[in-house]
Amino acid sequence: MTKSLTLPDAERDHVSGSANGSIKLLEYGDYECPFCADAQPVVKEIQRRLGDDLLFAFRHFPLANIHPHSEHAAEAAEAAGAQANFWGMHHLLFENQSALEDKDLAAYAGELGLDATRLIREVASTAYARRIREDFRDGVRAGVNGTPTLFINGERYDGARDLKHLLNALTAM
Amino acid sequence: MSLNEFRGRPVVLAFYPADWSPVCGDQMALYNEMLDEFQEFQAELLGISVDGAWCHSAFAKQNKLHFPLLADFEPKGAVARTYGVYDEKDGVCERALFVINTAGIIHWRYVSPIGVNPGANGILSALEDLKAKSETIGAAK
């Protein structure tokens, strides 16, 4: 169980940045969602600009019926996380959104220098399904109604997701 | 179909303006991912709009929906009017959620601004509340 539905939990979540960062950004997303893929380079640039002022966390919110690859992609990110490279896989998945078959996931694992056999075995057995579902349920309770949904310092952000607006919102608080 | 068929189980009735419009697509897609959660409360989810049965069928197929969509088509909007959520001006259902208890009585309702996907948190809270009440009554007997 996460400590907060709307704030990063450095002990549980996949976080990037500084745990002491005064600005907290939490994304609920789906690797096969085109809007999430659009948001990814924006988030990356925000991380670059805000540096240690920012703590960023990503939770899974796969809409598996309309995005048939989203669950295996989330599993792949978790499986990469188990081999200490969640973020490497996270970025590759968004950057290669149109290629998310299991063979593609294995190739990304190879690219990252991970144990691809282990990763695919875990993906195929949905080893991290419980955690992914927990993310999803927490998202629903937090008021996530689609993807991506962003929370800035615990408040849902419903504004435009371009760099200017998002950066303004993050630094205004 | 009559709601009486579901007597004994809670019903989640989700009125929405139209198949294919962007927001409801998201809203129904979200609920479609939550059937297990609704099932934990033995609740039945029903979507309803003024679209006809063939339109619903194509919409459900496209989005792989695994719950029924009801057509409030003839006489148009009759069900929505009964629930007080018919938008006369645009001739569509409002974006309204109802949780109906096992006795067929409305337990919770929420009308969302038409362009805003209300998500599912309110529905889950209402179902939890219903469950807690029925357990309290059960324990008092």
Side-chain angles (χ1 to χ4, degrees):
Chain A
M1 187 65 193
T2 52
K3 283 187 204 142
S4 165
L5 302 176
T6 60
L7 282 170
D9 175 351
E11 281 169 33
R12 176 196 176 276
D13 291 327
H14 299 288
V15 294
S16 172
S18 167
N20 302 319
S22 58
I23 306 168
K24 314 222 187 292
L25 178 64
L26 171 64
E27 174 180 356
Y28 284 91
D30 169 333
Y31 290 115
E32 204 176 354
C33 158
F35 304 102
C36 298
D38 289 346
Q40 191 240 1
V42 177
V43 170
K44 234 177 160 172
E45 178 60 18
I46 283 169
Q47 288 181 289
R48 195 184 70 78
R49 293 204 191 181
L50 297 182
D52 281 349
D53 290 338
L54 181 76
L55 179 67
F56 173 65
F58 182 87
R59 289 185 191 155
H60 304 288
F61 203 84
L63 295 173
N65 282 287
I66 52 172
H67 298 145
H69 303 93
S70 59
E71 277 183 328
H72 272 201
E75 291 279 351
E78 286 300 322
Q83 296 184 49
N85 200 346
F86 175 85
W87 294 109
M89 184 61 82
H90 173 88
H91 293 306
L92 279 179
L93 292 170
F94 276 137
E95 284 156 16
N96 299 279
Q97 187 169 62
S98 56
L100 298 176
E101 300 292 340
D102 284 359
K103 65 172 171 47
D104 302 313
L105 304 177
Y108 304 146
E111 207 172 308
L112 294 168
L114 305 178
D115 177 345
T117 310
R118 176 184 158 193
L119 184 132
I120 285 302
R121 192 175 59 235
E122 291 181 350
V123 166
S125 65
T126 62
Y128 303 99
R130 264 182 75 173
R131 181 195 172 109
I132 293 165
R133 196 63 193 170
E134 188 175 88
D135 279 3
F136 180 88
R137 285 179 177 223
D138 281 357
V140 168
R141 298 317 303 246
V144 173
N145 55 8
T147 50
T149 294
L150 301 172
F151 290 88
I152 297 175
N153 292 335
E155 297 287 324
R156 194 167 90 185
Y157 173 76
D158 289 328
R161 290 187 293 263
D162 60 282
L163 182 63
K164 183 169 158 255
H165 284 94
L166 204 46
L167 207 52
N168 275 345
L170 284 158
T171 50
M173 297 211 170
Chain B
M1 186 184 274
S2 158
L3 282 190
N4 281 329
E5 292 173 35
F6 302 109
R7 203 55 73 80
R9 301 166 66 185
V11 172
V12 177
L13 196 53
F15 288 92
Y16 62 100
D19 290 344
W20 309 107
S21 76
V23 174
C24 357
D26 270 340
Q27 188 186 355
M28 294 304 130
L30 173 65
Y31 298 168
N32 197 35
E33 300 296 334
M34 295 187 52
L35 301 179
D36 287 352
E37 275 77 15
F38 295 141
Q39 190 55 45
E40 283 173 22
F41 296 96
Q42 272 90 47
E44 188 75 27
L45 169 68
L46 304 169
I48 180 166
S49 76
V50 296
D51 295 289
W54 293 106
C55 183
H56 273 337
S57 157
F59 179 62
K61 193 175 172 198
Q62 168 82 23
N63 289 290
K64 301 191 180 69
L65 299 181
H66 303 294
F67 60 91
L69 298 178
L70 310 186
D72 198 7
F73 182 68
E74 182 58 41
K76 192 182 169 204
V79 180
R81 278 176 224 273
T82 308
Y83 283 82
V85 292
Y86 190 66
D87 179 341
E88 301 279 351
K89 189 172 140 280
D90 292 329
V92 294
C93 301
E94 294 190 68
R95 197 177 297 283
L97 300 171
F98 290 83
V99 170
I100 297 159
N101 73 12
T102 52
I105 295 162
I106 295 169
H107 173 71
W108 176 81
R109 75 192 286 274
Y110 175 75
V111 181
S112 181
I114 206 111
V116 177
N117 176 351
N121 189 32
I123 297 173
L124 290 180
S125 296
L127 289 171
E128 277 172 2
D129 187 45
L130 260 187
K131 189 172 172 227
K133 283 209 168 91
S134 73
E135 279 167 3
T136 314
I137 293 165
K141 273 182 187 167

